[in-house]
Amino acid sequence: MLRFLTRRLLAGLATLFVALFLMYLLVARAIDPLQDLRESTAPNKQQLIAARIEQLDLDTNAVVRFFKWVGDLLQGDLGVAWRTGESVSALLGHAIVSTLQLVTAATFLSLLLGITVGIVSALRQYATFDYLIIFLSFLLYSLPSFWVAVMLKQWVAIGFNDFLRDPNLAWLTIAVIAAVMGFLWSLAIGGTTLRRVQVFLVAGVATAAMLAYLQLSNWWLEPQIGPILLLVLGGAIGFAVVGVFAGLHNRRALWTALSSVVLGFVLYFPMQSVFDLDPFGVDGQGAFWILLGLAVATAVVGWVIGRLFGGPDWGVSAKVGVAVSLVMAFLTFVDQVMQVWPPYSKALGGRPIPTFGDQTPGLGGNYWVQVLDSFTHLMLPTATLVLIAFAAYTRYSRSSMLEVMNQDYIRTARAKGLPERVVVVRHGFRNTLIPLATIVPIDVITLIGGAVITEAVFARPGMGQLFVRGLLEAEQEVVMAYLLVTAALAIIANIVADLIYAVIDPRIRLDA
């Protein structure tokens, strides 16, 4: 493993150096920092040109300037944006944070939805649900991102903000939504006609009950999860996790999940006092590390619960405990953020869903207000990227699952009498991820490089906008800083893909 990493890192560094050298020469050739002065009518035009040539060292050969830039880079100096005098490191730092927020949310959601729906579609091959997902994925994949972004701004942001003036859903609307959700769930679950009718009724009633609760509790203006809803959601998720990854017959895993839910419910109340401590105040200093420590502690506690229930297959119980515990912790965190919604909405004039930027200027408030503000600014650009990426991941996971389920070892597993859940989850699902191990890291790096169009539509100051600004302003240091980050991450992504391959597929050895 160490020898493999050493070889790949050395090769990556050599590739990075050559790529940066070529890009430096191309950028130096493509941009002209003197263009505005050449078109100027100022009487001291020649003096201004001479001063800028000296300032930017343009009379030096581009190759020599590149090695000077590398020397400064090795000392931690990325240069200065000469038009504004701002540090390139500061510009890059803000852009990376903004883009990472967007990339993390969009990648996680698109993978979760895309892989899940793709696998279900493959298992329902040639059924109505499969045809519906194929149509939807091709439709979304063909839509231009700028059009999706504009439609989301119009119908989601502006439409929802208008809805909040009088947040009332007609009972007919609730009935229609419940019927549609029941129909979709019946298609996804499949089975006999009786089973489809049962799923339709259960899903429809559950959806109608949820919407009625939101309507009658004034949830739209004062959203919260609260302890009761936390217990209900946690229990439902616990049963779902056990049903998929362990099977409801596995009583040890089921008791692990339920114990994690009850513990999360009990800890909900003292956590309200923890979230009011000073680190979560106005500046929010140290809040991230406290939350990270709590997340690690939550995972450890979930693992211990699973281990205590023991059994020959205690590893499954431990994984279930970790997953359910983290879900309960996440729901508690979301509840705390939602508690500041009323004052946040009031501060924004009752229109809390923004359509541009990555934060509200001069908002103030404590850590939770800042988190909610970041979340609302992420909603629309994240939804744009998720809709496009969801279509691609759905197609990838569906085709991969279909190929895997036709392999000889799947037929052997079924012939041995293994339950279909075990065949799909333990034998099919893991091997389905192998092709995605190559695609996902590269897609993530592509997004970190900047979703230029999406960032432009939502005026989000991320990496894509930083690159465009560098080109338009003829600021070579800014452009090179962007290329340095994206090229380095692209190399790292390929190494990570190889490591993921080795984890997923035991036939691959990195030390061979």
Side-chain angles (χ1 to χ4, degrees):
M1 172 72 78
L2 182 61
R3 186 169 56 185
F4 166 80
L5 289 176
T6 303
R7 286 200 315 266
R8 291 300 303 272
L9 287 175
L10 291 177
L13 288 174
T15 303
L16 179 64
F17 179 82
V18 173
L20 290 176
F21 176 72
L22 294 176
M23 292 307 301
Y24 192 95
L25 298 182
L26 291 173
V27 172
R29 183 75 175 176
I31 64 176
D32 184 9
L34 304 176
Q35 182 177 355
D36 58 328
L37 293 181
R38 291 197 179 98
E39 299 172 354
S40 173
T41 58
N44 59 339
K45 174 179 177 179
Q46 295 303 322
Q47 289 84 350
L48 293 174
I49 291 177
R52 185 172 295 179
I53 289 176
E54 181 179 359
Q55 175 190 0
L56 302 180
D57 199 20
L58 297 179
D59 55 351
T60 302
N61 185 274
V63 175
V64 177
R65 293 208 312 272
F66 168 75
F67 283 100
K68 288 183 178 180
W69 177 79
V70 171
D72 294 336
L73 174 64
L74 294 177
Q75 299 177 34
D77 182 12
L78 291 175
V80 176
W82 59 270
R83 289 192 184 273
T84 61
E86 297 178 87
S87 168
V88 174
S89 298
L91 292 173
L92 188 64
H94 181 76
I96 287 178
V97 170
S98 180
T99 296
L100 281 178
Q101 291 175 342
L102 179 59
V103 168
T104 302
T107 302
F108 176 78
L109 291 175
S110 57
L111 279 174
L112 179 63
L113 294 174
I115 293 177
T116 302
V117 174
I119 289 176
V120 174
S121 179
L123 297 177
R124 300 286 176 267
Q125 187 181 17
Y126 303 137
T128 304
F129 182 79
D130 186 33
Y131 287 124
L132 181 63
I133 295 301
I134 291 174
F135 170 77
L136 182 63
S137 59
F138 277 118
L139 175 64
L140 292 176
Y141 193 75
S142 64
L143 294 178
S145 58
F146 69 87
W147 186 85
V148 174
V150 172
M151 290 298 101
L152 288 176
K153 291 177 71 171
Q154 177 65 39
W155 299 108
V156 176
I158 298 177
F160 184 74
N161 286 333
D162 292 340
F163 168 75
L164 289 180
R165 295 177 181 174
D166 184 22
N168 288 307
L169 288 174
W171 291 107
L172 178 60
T173 303
I174 292 177
V176 171
I177 295 175
V180 171
M181 292 303 298
F183 177 69
L184 292 177
W185 275 107
S186 67
L187 292 180
I189 300 300
T192 63
T193 302
L194 177 61
R195 185 182 183 187
R196 290 173 182 265
V197 172
Q198 292 173 339
V199 171
F200 173 82
L201 292 176
V202 171
V205 170
T207 302
M210 181 191 68
L211 292 176
Y213 168 79
L214 300 182
Q215 181 86 340
L216 298 175
S217 64
N218 199 31
W219 191 89
W220 301 110
L221 296 179
E222 297 179 0
Q224 60 177 329
I225 295 179
I228 302 302
L229 196 56
L230 175 68
L231 188 62
V232 172
L233 290 176
I237 294 172
F239 273 102
V241 170
V242 173
V244 172
F245 295 102
L248 295 178
H249 65 278
N250 189 331
R251 298 303 179 186
R252 296 179 184 272
L254 184 59
W255 284 114
T256 297
L258 295 179
S259 300
S260 300
V261 171
V262 172
L263 181 60
F265 172 78
V266 172
L267 292 178
Y268 170 84
F269 300 97
M271 287 306 299
Q272 304 306 305
S273 300
V274 174
F275 290 148
D276 290 333
L277 296 177
D278 290 340
F280 299 98
V282 176
D283 55 2
Q285 293 293 331
F288 171 79
W289 297 108
I290 292 178
L291 292 173
L292 181 61
L294 290 173
V296 173
T298 299
V300 171
V301 169
W303 185 90
V304 170
I305 292 175
R307 188 67 181 90
L308 289 176
F309 276 99
D313 200 11
W314 64 266
V316 174
S317 298
K319 292 175 183 177
V320 168
V322 171
V324 176
S325 297
L326 288 176
V327 168
M328 293 294 291
F330 177 74
L331 291 176
T332 304
F333 173 82
V334 171
D335 174 77
Q336 183 65 28
V337 174
M338 293 168 69
Q339 290 180 22
V340 301
W341 178 271
Y344 174 77
S345 178
K346 183 178 180 180
L348 271 64
R351 304 186 69 82
I353 306 300
T355 57
F356 63 90
D358 62 348
Q359 59 184 354
T360 303
L363 176 63
N366 60 14
Y367 171 80
W368 303 108
V369 174
Q370 299 300 323
V371 170
L372 179 59
D373 186 54
S374 297
F375 171 75
T376 55
H377 281 86
L378 277 171
M379 284 181 62
L380 297 182
T382 298
T384 302
L385 296 178
V386 166
L387 288 175
I388 305 298
F390 161 81
Y393 290 145
T394 298
R395 300 300 300 151
Y396 287 135
S397 59
R398 179 186 181 275
S399 60
S400 180
M401 189 68 175
L402 287 175
E403 181 180 357
V404 167
M405 296 304 288
N406 288 321
Q407 298 297 316
D408 291 338
Y409 58 84
I410 296 294
R411 286 192 288 270
T412 302
R414 285 172 171 158
K416 290 166 61 179
L418 293 179
E420 187 65 15
R421 180 196 59 80
V422 176
V423 173
V424 173
V425 175
R426 294 197 179 185
H427 296 275
F429 175 70
R430 182 171 181 174
N431 290 285
T432 298
L433 297 179
I434 294 177
L436 292 173
T438 301
I439 299 167
V440 173
I442 304 301
D443 284 352
V444 171
I445 300 308
T446 301
L447 287 177
I448 291 178
V452 178
I453 296 176
T454 302
E455 290 177 0
V457 174
F458 294 106
R460 191 171 181 87
M463 291 289 287
Q465 290 305 294
L466 181 71
F467 176 66
V468 172
R469 168 200 160 164
L471 288 178
L472 295 178
E473 300 291 339
E475 294 175 323
Q476 187 164 9
E477 284 78 7
V478 174
V479 176
M480 290 306 301
Y482 167 86
L483 294 173
L484 170 66
V485 171
T486 53
L489 290 177
I491 293 171
I492 294 174
N494 282 278
I495 299 176
V496 170
D498 290 337
L499 295 177
I500 294 176
Y501 264 132
V503 171
I504 295 177
D505 192 345
R507 296 171 299 178
I508 297 176
R509 294 179 55 197
L510 298 179
D511 56 351

